[in-house]
Amino acid sequence: AYYTIHITPEPHCSFVSFETNLNQHSYTELVRQVVETFRPGRVCFSIFSDKQAQVGGDRARLTVNRELPGYELVASSQQGFDGAAYAASFY
């Protein structure tokens, strides 16, 4: 498994991206830890899964808890294909 973090500090808008292929039953805690670490003004994330992943095709487990302390969920979506994907935006 790997973790990749890319940080671009800019005076007008900084950007942080975090990527991993860590195989989990749930990504709620990992997303919470990343958000707590960087404390961004806005959060957007996507989770992609295939049938071999621990979350597999279980869309209920693919989603992340819709509550991030200090943020409001403004959009979320799920897509189905050979695998599954989930995306959410918080402000």
Side-chain angles (χ1 to χ4, degrees):
Y2 68 85
Y3 295 102
T4 300
I5 300 171
H6 174 86
I7 302 171
T8 303
E10 295 290 333
H12 63 286
C13 64
S14 297
F15 179 84
V16 174
S17 67
F18 175 86
E19 180 180 326
T20 185
N21 68 345
L22 186 64
N23 199 358
Q24 299 272 282
H25 286 287
S26 169
Y27 291 95
T28 298
E29 182 61 21
L30 180 61
V31 168
R32 188 194 60 73
Q33 288 175 346
V34 171
V35 170
E36 259 185 29
T37 299
F38 293 103
R39 300 188 189 279
R42 297 179 182 180
V43 178
C44 297
F45 62 86
S46 298
I47 300 173
F48 297 92
S49 173
D50 62 20
K51 292 176 183 162
Q52 288 73 40
Q54 289 184 31
V55 296
D58 186 347
R59 292 184 182 206
R61 287 195 346 219
L62 188 59
T63 61
V64 170
N65 185 339
R66 293 175 179 259
E67 294 182 21
L68 284 175
Y71 297 90
E72 178 183 349
L73 177 65
V74 294
S76 68
S77 66
Q78 289 187 340
Q79 302 297 317
F81 47 91
D82 286 344
Y86 173 74
S89 296
F90 291 84
Y91 296 106

